Amino acid sequence: MPRYMASVVRLALSLALCGVPALAQSPQPPDQRSAGSIGGKIVDPTGAAVAAARVRLSREDQSPDQEVLSGDDGQFSFASVAPGAFQLTITSAGFATQSSSGILAPSETYTVPQIALALASTATEVRVVPSRVEVAEDQIKIEEKQRVLGVVPNFYVTYDHNAVPLTSKQKFELAWKTTVDPVTFGVTGVVAGIQQAQNDFGGYGQGAQGYAKRYGASYADAVTGTLIGSAILPSLLKQDPRYFYKGTGSKRSRILYAIANSVICKGDNGHWQANYSSILGSLAAGGISNLYYPAKDREGAELTFENTLIGIGETAAVNLLQEFVIRKLTPNVPAHEPANP
C-alpha cells in the first residue's frame, strides 16, 4: 500500500474513533450552492444523551444511503445533503428502532426535533427451579404410595439414592402418617391379641380391659419409637430416617450395605454417619415404656440395652428384605435412581 494511502486510512480511523461522523460519498455530489445539512440529538427515555447510535439517512431519489454515529453528546449531522424529502432511521443496542422524516429545502440547515429512543422490549426466559423443600415434598408423596402387596405401608425407603434431605417438618409429617395409618392400628390389634392369648404382661389381666391395655401399650411402643427414632432425634441430629435402596452391585456388596445400614445412616449433609437417631431412639422408647407396663414386666437397664441390640438385628433383617424382596412385592414402585458416580 502506498504511504499516502496508509496515512489516509489512519486519519479515517482516528476520526471514527473520536466520534466524528463519517460521510458516505455520493458518486454524484449535489450542487454545493443548493446543498444543505441535517442534524439533531438522540437521547434515552430519561433525556440522557445516547452515544454511538447509528443514524441512517435515506433519500427518495435513489441516492446512496449515508450513515453516521452520534457523538458522546448524542449529536449527529449530515453535511452537503441535496434538497428534498429524506428519512432518518436510528438504531442502538438496547433501544427500539426509531424513524424520523422531513423535507430539506435548498441550502437549509435542518435541525431534527430531539429524538428520544424507547427501550427495546426483550423476551426474557424465566426458568423456575423448584426448591429443595418442594423436591423433598414430591419425593415424600411418592414414598407414601409405597405399600407392600398394595396394603402394608413402606414409607421409610427411597429408591432415589440421591434423594434430597427432609426438613424437620417433613420428618414429623412422615412419622405422623405412619402412626395413624389404618394398617398400623390393625397390626397393633393383632399383636395385642397374640399377647393376650399368650398372657404376656399378665399384670394387665384378661378380658376386654386386659386387651385394651395391651393394645394401648403396643400402640404406645410404636408411636414413641417412630416419633423419637424417626422424627425428633433425626431433626435434632440432622439425620435421614429413611433406608436408601442400593439395588446395584454384587449380591455380596448389597448384603453388606443392608447390614451396615442398621447402624449407619445418611446425614442431611449427604455423608454417611453412625445412626444415633435409631439407636438412641430405641433406648429412649424402652425407658418410656416403663411408665405404662406392669411393674413386674418393666425392663431394667440391662434388658433395655439387650432389646436395643435385638432391634438392630431386626433392622438389618428388614433392610435385607428391602434390598432383595420387598421392592418386588410393591406395585407401582418408582424407577430406581442409583448414586452419581
mmCIF file of all heavy atoms in Angstrom, residues 144-182:
data_model
loop_
_atom_site.group_PDB
_atom_site.id
_atom_site.type_symbol
_atom_site.label_atom_id
_atom_site.label_comp_id
_atom_site.label_asym_id
_atom_site.label_seq_id
_atom_site.Cartn_x
_atom_site.Cartn_y
_atom_site.Cartn_z
ATOM 1 N N GLU A 144 -45.175 -42.221 50.075
ATOM 2 C CA GLU A 144 -46.423 -42.529 50.777
ATOM 3 C C GLU A 144 -47.336 -43.450 49.977
ATOM 4 O O GLU A 144 -48.316 -43.972 50.513
ATOM 5 C CB GLU A 144 -47.160 -41.229 51.121
ATOM 6 C CG GLU A 144 -46.463 -40.412 52.209
ATOM 7 C CD GLU A 144 -47.117 -39.065 52.428
ATOM 8 O OE1 GLU A 144 -48.020 -38.720 51.631
ATOM 9 O OE2 GLU A 144 -46.735 -38.359 53.379
ATOM 10 N N LYS A 145 -47.017 -43.652 48.698
ATOM 11 C CA LYS A 145 -47.791 -44.577 47.867
ATOM 12 C C LYS A 145 -47.183 -45.974 47.860
ATOM 13 O O LYS A 145 -47.759 -46.891 47.276
ATOM 14 C CB LYS A 145 -47.863 -44.041 46.431
ATOM 15 C CG LYS A 145 -48.599 -42.713 46.306
ATOM 16 C CD LYS A 145 -48.587 -42.224 44.862
ATOM 17 C CE LYS A 145 -49.296 -40.878 44.740
ATOM 18 N NZ LYS A 145 -49.246 -40.365 43.339
ATOM 19 N N GLN A 146 -46.022 -46.111 48.514
ATOM 20 C CA GLN A 146 -45.337 -47.405 48.522
ATOM 21 C C GLN A 146 -45.956 -48.308 49.589
ATOM 22 O O GLN A 146 -45.807 -48.064 50.785
ATOM 23 C CB GLN A 146 -43.840 -47.189 48.792
ATOM 24 C CG GLN A 146 -43.144 -46.377 47.705
ATOM 25 C CD GLN A 146 -41.745 -45.947 48.074
ATOM 26 O OE1 GLN A 146 -41.057 -45.298 47.298
ATOM 27 N NE2 GLN A 146 -41.305 -46.276 49.282
ATOM 28 N N ARG A 147 -46.644 -49.326 49.153
ATOM 29 C CA ARG A 147 -47.273 -50.284 50.071
ATOM 30 C C ARG A 147 -46.989 -51.704 49.591
ATOM 31 O O ARG A 147 -47.284 -52.045 48.445
ATOM 32 C CB ARG A 147 -48.786 -50.041 50.160
ATOM 33 C CG ARG A 147 -49.145 -48.722 50.850
ATOM 34 C CD ARG A 147 -50.651 -48.521 50.942
ATOM 35 N NE ARG A 147 -50.969 -47.277 51.622
ATOM 36 C CZ ARG A 147 -51.124 -47.159 52.941
ATOM 37 N NH1 ARG A 147 -50.996 -48.231 53.726
ATOM 38 N NH2 ARG A 147 -51.411 -45.996 53.484
ATOM 39 N N VAL A 148 -46.436 -52.494 50.484
ATOM 40 C CA VAL A 148 -46.138 -53.877 50.164
ATOM 41 C C VAL A 148 -47.447 -54.622 49.912
ATOM 42 O O VAL A 148 -48.399 -54.524 50.708
ATOM 43 C CB VAL A 148 -45.354 -54.553 51.309
ATOM 44 C CG1 VAL A 148 -44.994 -55.994 50.938
ATOM 45 C CG2 VAL A 148 -44.086 -53.746 51.617
ATOM 46 N N LEU A 149 -47.495 -55.321 48.769
ATOM 47 C CA LEU A 149 -48.711 -56.017 48.338
ATOM 48 C C LEU A 149 -49.876 -55.040 48.204
ATOM 49 O O LEU A 149 -51.041 -55.446 48.244
ATOM 50 C CB LEU A 149 -49.068 -57.148 49.315
ATOM 51 C CG LEU A 149 -48.007 -58.246 49.483
ATOM 52 C CD1 LEU A 149 -48.447 -59.251 50.534
ATOM 53 C CD2 LEU A 149 -47.752 -58.948 48.153
ATOM 54 N N GLY A 150 -49.560 -53.759 48.070
ATOM 55 C CA GLY A 150 -50.586 -52.746 47.914
ATOM 56 C C GLY A 150 -51.286 -52.375 49.206
ATOM 57 O O GLY A 150 -52.237 -51.604 49.188
ATOM 58 N N VAL A 151 -50.807 -52.907 50.365
ATOM 59 C CA VAL A 151 -51.506 -52.694 51.645
ATOM 60 C C VAL A 151 -50.574 -52.141 52.723
ATOM 61 O O VAL A 151 -50.834 -51.078 53.301
ATOM 62 C CB VAL A 151 -52.147 -54.012 52.134
ATOM 63 C CG1 VAL A 151 -52.827 -53.790 53.487
ATOM 64 C CG2 VAL A 151 -53.140 -54.538 51.112
ATOM 65 N N VAL A 152 -49.501 -52.837 53.020
ATOM 66 C CA VAL A 152 -48.637 -52.506 54.150
ATOM 67 C C VAL A 152 -47.772 -51.286 53.810
ATOM 68 O O VAL A 152 -47.052 -51.296 52.801
ATOM 69 C CB VAL A 152 -47.738 -53.690 54.524
ATOM 70 C CG1 VAL A 152 -46.858 -53.338 55.725
ATOM 71 C CG2 VAL A 152 -48.588 -54.920 54.817
ATOM 72 N N PRO A 153 -47.833 -50.230 54.607
ATOM 73 C CA PRO A 153 -47.035 -49.028 54.305
ATOM 74 C C PRO A 153 -45.544 -49.296 54.363
ATOM 75 O O PRO A 153 -45.056 -50.005 55.240
ATOM 76 C CB PRO A 153 -47.468 -48.034 55.400
ATOM 77 C CG PRO A 153 -48.001 -48.882 56.506
ATOM 78 C CD PRO A 153 -48.625 -50.071 55.845
ATOM 79 N N ASN A 154 -44.842 -48.744 53.393
ATOM 80 C CA ASN A 154 -43.388 -48.879 53.324
ATOM 81 C C ASN A 154 -42.812 -47.500 53.019
ATOM 82 O O ASN A 154 -42.106 -47.280 52.048
ATOM 83 C CB ASN A 154 -43.013 -49.882 52.221
ATOM 84 C CG ASN A 154 -41.539 -50.238 52.247
ATOM 85 O OD1 ASN A 154 -40.907 -50.235 53.303
ATOM 86 N ND2 ASN A 154 -40.982 -50.532 51.084
ATOM 87 N N PHE A 155 -43.150 -46.551 53.916
ATOM 88 C CA PHE A 155 -42.845 -45.149 53.683
ATOM 89 C C PHE A 155 -41.373 -44.800 53.868
ATOM 90 O O PHE A 155 -40.880 -43.825 53.289
ATOM 91 C CB PHE A 155 -43.667 -44.264 54.629
ATOM 92 C CG PHE A 155 -45.152 -44.450 54.496
ATOM 93 C CD1 PHE A 155 -46.005 -44.063 55.527
ATOM 94 C CD2 PHE A 155 -45.712 -45.011 53.364
ATOM 95 C CE1 PHE A 155 -47.374 -44.214 55.427
ATOM 96 C CE2 PHE A 155 -47.092 -45.171 53.240
ATOM 97 C CZ PHE A 155 -47.919 -44.772 54.281
ATOM 98 N N TYR A 156 -40.665 -45.582 54.700
ATOM 99 C CA TYR A 156 -39.303 -45.195 55.069
ATOM 100 C C TYR A 156 -38.234 -45.859 54.200
ATOM 101 O O TYR A 156 -37.183 -46.267 54.690
ATOM 102 C CB TYR A 156 -39.053 -45.514 56.545
ATOM 103 C CG TYR A 156 -39.639 -44.468 57.463
ATOM 104 C CD1 TYR A 156 -40.880 -44.659 58.065
ATOM 105 C CD2 TYR A 156 -38.982 -43.273 57.716
ATOM 106 C CE1 TYR A 156 -41.440 -43.700 58.891
ATOM 107 C CE2 TYR A 156 -39.519 -42.300 58.542
ATOM 108 C CZ TYR A 156 -40.761 -42.530 59.125
ATOM 109 O OH TYR A 156 -41.307 -41.567 59.942
ATOM 110 N N VAL A 157 -38.475 -45.935 52.913
ATOM 111 C CA VAL A 157 -37.471 -46.378 51.966
ATOM 112 C C VAL A 157 -37.578 -45.487 50.738
ATOM 113 O O VAL A 157 -38.667 -45.132 50.303
ATOM 114 C CB VAL A 157 -37.653 -47.868 51.573
ATOM 115 C CG1 VAL A 157 -38.998 -48.111 50.945
ATOM 116 C CG2 VAL A 157 -36.537 -48.313 50.636
ATOM 117 N N THR A 158 -36.428 -45.066 50.216
ATOM 118 C CA THR A 158 -36.402 -44.267 48.995
ATOM 119 C C THR A 158 -35.582 -45.008 47.951
ATOM 120 O O THR A 158 -34.524 -45.565 48.254
ATOM 121 C CB THR A 158 -35.820 -42.859 49.241
ATOM 122 O OG1 THR A 158 -35.720 -42.176 47.985
ATOM 123 C CG2 THR A 158 -34.457 -42.910 49.893
ATOM 124 N N TYR A 159 -36.103 -45.020 46.730
ATOM 125 C CA TYR A 159 -35.412 -45.690 45.626
ATOM 126 C C TYR A 159 -34.561 -44.709 44.821
ATOM 127 O O TYR A 159 -34.015 -45.069 43.791
ATOM 128 C CB TYR A 159 -36.433 -46.396 44.734
ATOM 129 C CG TYR A 159 -37.135 -47.510 45.470
ATOM 130 C CD1 TYR A 159 -38.397 -47.322 46.023
ATOM 131 C CD2 TYR A 159 -36.515 -48.742 45.658
ATOM 132 C CE1 TYR A 159 -39.027 -48.329 46.727
ATOM 133 C CE2 TYR A 159 -37.136 -49.758 46.365
ATOM 134 C CZ TYR A 159 -38.404 -49.548 46.903
ATOM 135 O OH TYR A 159 -39.016 -50.548 47.603
ATOM 136 N N ASP A 160 -34.480 -43.480 45.304
ATOM 137 C CA ASP A 160 -33.601 -42.477 44.702
ATOM 138 C C ASP A 160 -32.415 -42.305 45.635
ATOM 139 O O ASP A 160 -32.539 -41.712 46.707
ATOM 140 C CB ASP A 160 -34.348 -41.149 44.520
ATOM 141 C CG ASP A 160 -33.481 -40.083 43.869
ATOM 142 O OD1 ASP A 160 -32.294 -40.359 43.610
ATOM 143 O OD2 ASP A 160 -33.992 -38.975 43.623
ATOM 144 N N HIS A 161 -31.265 -42.819 45.231
ATOM 145 C CA HIS A 161 -30.104 -42.780 46.123
ATOM 146 C C HIS A 161 -29.606 -41.361 46.358
ATOM 147 O O HIS A 161 -28.830 -41.115 47.275
ATOM 148 C CB HIS A 161 -28.967 -43.637 45.550
ATOM 149 C CG HIS A 161 -28.037 -44.179 46.588
ATOM 150 N ND1 HIS A 161 -28.344 -45.289 47.358
ATOM 151 C CD2 HIS A 161 -26.817 -43.771 47.018
ATOM 152 C CE1 HIS A 161 -27.351 -45.540 48.195
ATOM 153 N NE2 HIS A 161 -26.413 -44.633 48.004
ATOM 154 N N ASN A 162 -30.052 -40.430 45.505
ATOM 155 C CA ASN A 162 -29.638 -39.035 45.659
ATOM 156 C C ASN A 162 -30.789 -38.164 46.159
ATOM 157 O O ASN A 162 -30.828 -36.961 45.896
ATOM 158 C CB ASN A 162 -29.125 -38.499 44.313
ATOM 159 C CG ASN A 162 -27.948 -39.283 43.791
ATOM 160 O OD1 ASN A 162 -26.923 -39.390 44.449
ATOM 161 N ND2 ASN A 162 -28.084 -39.863 42.610
ATOM 162 N N ALA A 163 -31.740 -38.774 46.851
ATOM 163 C CA ALA A 163 -32.889 -38.024 47.360
ATOM 164 C C ALA A 163 -32.428 -36.890 48.258
ATOM 165 O O ALA A 163 -31.487 -37.042 49.042
ATOM 166 C CB ALA A 163 -33.826 -38.959 48.126
ATOM 167 N N VAL A 164 -33.089 -35.741 48.132
ATOM 168 C CA VAL A 164 -32.699 -34.585 48.950
ATOM 169 C C VAL A 164 -33.143 -34.823 50.389
ATOM 170 O O VAL A 164 -34.108 -35.551 50.647
ATOM 171 C CB VAL A 164 -33.330 -33.288 48.400
ATOM 172 C CG1 VAL A 164 -32.872 -33.033 46.980
ATOM 173 C CG2 VAL A 164 -34.849 -33.354 48.458
ATOM 174 N N PRO A 165 -32.447 -34.237 51.362
ATOM 175 C CA PRO A 165 -32.810 -34.438 52.771
ATOM 176 C C PRO A 165 -34.164 -33.828 53.106
ATOM 177 O O PRO A 165 -34.610 -32.880 52.454
ATOM 178 C CB PRO A 165 -31.678 -33.739 53.533
ATOM 179 C CG PRO A 165 -31.136 -32.736 52.565
ATOM 180 C CD PRO A 165 -31.264 -33.364 51.211
ATOM 181 N N LEU A 166 -34.801 -34.390 54.115
ATOM 182 C CA LEU A 166 -36.098 -33.896 54.556
ATOM 183 C C LEU A 166 -35.910 -32.772 55.572
ATOM 184 O O LEU A 166 -34.944 -32.758 56.326
ATOM 185 C CB LEU A 166 -36.897 -35.032 55.201
ATOM 186 C CG LEU A 166 -37.096 -36.309 54.375
ATOM 187 C CD1 LEU A 166 -37.868 -37.342 55.193
ATOM 188 C CD2 LEU A 166 -37.810 -36.010 53.077
ATOM 189 N N THR A 167 -36.868 -31.871 55.602
ATOM 190 C CA THR A 167 -36.872 -30.857 56.651
ATOM 191 C C THR A 167 -37.421 -31.487 57.930
ATOM 192 O O THR A 167 -38.003 -32.581 57.899
ATOM 193 C CB THR A 167 -37.744 -29.661 56.251
ATOM 194 O OG1 THR A 167 -39.108 -30.095 56.135
ATOM 195 C CG2 THR A 167 -37.289 -29.073 54.921
ATOM 196 N N SER A 168 -37.259 -30.802 59.050
ATOM 197 C CA SER A 168 -37.786 -31.320 60.312
ATOM 198 C C SER A 168 -39.306 -31.503 60.218
ATOM 199 O O SER A 168 -39.863 -32.506 60.689
ATOM 200 C CB SER A 168 -37.441 -30.355 61.456
ATOM 201 O OG SER A 168 -36.041 -30.296 61.656
ATOM 202 N N LYS A 169 -39.976 -30.542 59.601
ATOM 203 C CA LYS A 169 -41.424 -30.637 59.448
ATOM 204 C C LYS A 169 -41.802 -31.878 58.655
ATOM 205 O O LYS A 169 -42.754 -32.591 59.012
ATOM 206 C CB LYS A 169 -41.951 -29.377 58.757
ATOM 207 C CG LYS A 169 -43.452 -29.392 58.531
ATOM 208 C CD LYS A 169 -43.903 -28.128 57.812
ATOM 209 C CE LYS A 169 -45.415 -28.174 57.532
ATOM 210 N NZ LYS A 169 -45.854 -26.960 56.789
ATOM 211 N N GLN A 170 -41.072 -32.158 57.588
ATOM 212 C CA GLN A 170 -41.378 -33.317 56.761
ATOM 213 C C GLN A 170 -41.102 -34.624 57.500
ATOM 214 O O GLN A 170 -41.818 -35.613 57.319
ATOM 215 C CB GLN A 170 -40.575 -33.243 55.464
ATOM 216 C CG GLN A 170 -41.041 -32.121 54.538
ATOM 217 C CD GLN A 170 -40.088 -31.854 53.393
ATOM 218 O OE1 GLN A 170 -38.883 -32.148 53.484
ATOM 219 N NE2 GLN A 170 -40.592 -31.293 52.312
ATOM 220 N N LYS A 171 -40.083 -34.637 58.356
ATOM 221 C CA LYS A 171 -39.804 -35.843 59.148
ATOM 222 C C LYS A 171 -40.947 -36.126 60.115
ATOM 223 O O LYS A 171 -41.352 -37.284 60.295
ATOM 224 C CB LYS A 171 -38.485 -35.667 59.901
ATOM 225 C CG LYS A 171 -37.257 -35.622 58.992
ATOM 226 C CD LYS A 171 -35.991 -35.263 59.748
ATOM 227 C CE LYS A 171 -34.806 -35.128 58.785
ATOM 228 N NZ LYS A 171 -33.557 -34.718 59.457
ATOM 229 N N PHE A 172 -41.480 -35.083 60.729
ATOM 230 C CA PHE A 172 -42.602 -35.270 61.651
ATOM 231 C C PHE A 172 -43.865 -35.670 60.894
ATOM 232 O O PHE A 172 -44.650 -36.495 61.382
ATOM 233 C CB PHE A 172 -42.834 -33.992 62.458
ATOM 234 C CG PHE A 172 -41.976 -33.865 63.682
ATOM 235 C CD1 PHE A 172 -40.754 -33.208 63.631
ATOM 236 C CD2 PHE A 172 -42.371 -34.428 64.891
ATOM 237 C CE1 PHE A 172 -39.947 -33.095 64.755
ATOM 238 C CE2 PHE A 172 -41.583 -34.334 66.026
ATOM 239 C CZ PHE A 172 -40.361 -33.660 65.954
ATOM 240 N N GLU A 173 -44.083 -35.087 59.725
ATOM 241 C CA GLU A 173 -45.271 -35.436 58.942
ATOM 242 C C GLU A 173 -45.232 -36.897 58.521
ATOM 243 O O GLU A 173 -46.247 -37.597 58.577
ATOM 244 C CB GLU A 173 -45.361 -34.535 57.707
ATOM 245 C CG GLU A 173 -45.747 -33.097 58.025
ATOM 246 C CD GLU A 173 -45.755 -32.222 56.782
ATOM 247 O OE1 GLU A 173 -45.225 -32.658 55.733
ATOM 248 O OE2 GLU A 173 -46.282 -31.086 56.853
ATOM 249 N N LEU A 174 -44.061 -37.373 58.106
ATOM 250 C CA LEU A 174 -43.936 -38.765 57.687
ATOM 251 C C LEU A 174 -44.149 -39.709 58.869
ATOM 252 O O LEU A 174 -44.812 -40.752 58.741
ATOM 253 C CB LEU A 174 -42.558 -38.991 57.067
ATOM 254 C CG LEU A 174 -42.371 -40.284 56.257
ATOM 255 C CD1 LEU A 174 -43.358 -40.353 55.108
ATOM 256 C CD2 LEU A 174 -40.942 -40.374 55.718
ATOM 257 N N ALA A 175 -43.610 -39.338 60.039
ATOM 258 C CA ALA A 175 -43.804 -40.159 61.236
ATOM 259 C C ALA A 175 -45.279 -40.186 61.632
ATOM 260 O O ALA A 175 -45.828 -41.244 61.993
ATOM 261 C CB ALA A 175 -42.952 -39.618 62.383
ATOM 262 N N TRP A 176 -45.933 -39.028 61.558
ATOM 263 C CA TRP A 176 -47.352 -38.958 61.934
ATOM 264 C C TRP A 176 -48.208 -39.813 61.006
ATOM 265 O O TRP A 176 -49.092 -40.561 61.462
ATOM 266 C CB TRP A 176 -47.805 -37.506 61.908
ATOM 267 C CG TRP A 176 -49.284 -37.329 62.058
ATOM 268 C CD1 TRP A 176 -50.180 -36.993 61.079
ATOM 269 C CD2 TRP A 176 -50.067 -37.516 63.251
ATOM 270 N NE1 TRP A 176 -51.447 -36.936 61.581
ATOM 271 C CE2 TRP A 176 -51.415 -37.261 62.917
ATOM 272 C CE3 TRP A 176 -49.748 -37.864 64.557
ATOM 273 C CZ2 TRP A 176 -52.435 -37.347 63.850
ATOM 274 C CZ3 TRP A 176 -50.772 -37.957 65.491
ATOM 275 C CH2 TRP A 176 -52.097 -37.698 65.137
ATOM 276 N N LYS A 177 -47.965 -39.737 59.714
ATOM 277 C CA LYS A 177 -48.757 -40.516 58.757
ATOM 278 C C LYS A 177 -48.537 -42.009 58.947
ATOM 279 O O LYS A 177 -49.437 -42.816 58.685
ATOM 280 C CB LYS A 177 -48.415 -40.096 57.332
ATOM 281 C CG LYS A 177 -48.912 -38.691 56.997
ATOM 282 C CD LYS A 177 -48.523 -38.261 55.604
ATOM 283 C CE LYS A 177 -49.041 -36.852 55.323
ATOM 284 N NZ LYS A 177 -48.649 -36.384 53.967
ATOM 285 N N THR A 178 -47.347 -42.373 59.418
ATOM 286 C CA THR A 178 -47.087 -43.785 59.682
ATOM 287 C C THR A 178 -47.860 -44.265 60.902
ATOM 288 O O THR A 178 -48.466 -45.353 60.890
ATOM 289 C CB THR A 178 -45.580 -44.020 59.906
ATOM 290 O OG1 THR A 178 -44.860 -43.621 58.742
ATOM 291 C CG2 THR A 178 -45.282 -45.487 60.204
ATOM 292 N N THR A 179 -47.880 -43.459 61.963
ATOM 293 C CA THR A 179 -48.528 -43.888 63.204
ATOM 294 C C THR A 179 -50.057 -43.895 63.111
ATOM 295 O O THR A 179 -50.706 -44.611 63.868
ATOM 296 C CB THR A 179 -48.102 -42.970 64.361
ATOM 297 O OG1 THR A 179 -48.442 -41.615 64.049
ATOM 298 C CG2 THR A 179 -46.611 -43.077 64.612
ATOM 299 N N VAL A 180 -50.632 -43.097 62.210
ATOM 300 C CA VAL A 180 -52.095 -43.060 62.106
ATOM 301 C C VAL A 180 -52.605 -43.839 60.902
ATOM 302 O O VAL A 180 -53.790 -43.796 60.582
ATOM 303 C CB VAL A 180 -52.602 -41.601 62.025
ATOM 304 C CG1 VAL A 180 -52.233 -40.834 63.277
ATOM 305 C CG2 VAL A 180 -52.087 -40.894 60.777
ATOM 306 N N ASP A 181 -51.711 -44.563 60.231
ATOM 307 C CA ASP A 181 -52.144 -45.369 59.088
ATOM 308 C C ASP A 181 -53.038 -46.515 59.574
ATOM 309 O O ASP A 181 -52.764 -47.133 60.611
ATOM 310 C CB ASP A 181 -50.925 -45.937 58.359
ATOM 311 C CG ASP A 181 -51.303 -46.564 57.037
ATOM 312 O OD1 ASP A 181 -51.339 -45.836 56.027
ATOM 313 O OD2 ASP A 181 -51.573 -47.789 57.015
ATOM 314 N N PRO A 182 -54.124 -46.819 58.877
ATOM 315 C CA PRO A 182 -55.031 -47.905 59.303
ATOM 316 C C PRO A 182 -54.317 -49.234 59.505
ATOM 317 O O PRO A 182 -54.679 -50.012 60.404
ATOM 318 C CB PRO A 182 -56.040 -47.979 58.157
ATOM 319 C CG PRO A 182 -56.046 -46.603 57.569
ATOM 320 C CD PRO A 182 -54.637 -46.118 57.685
#
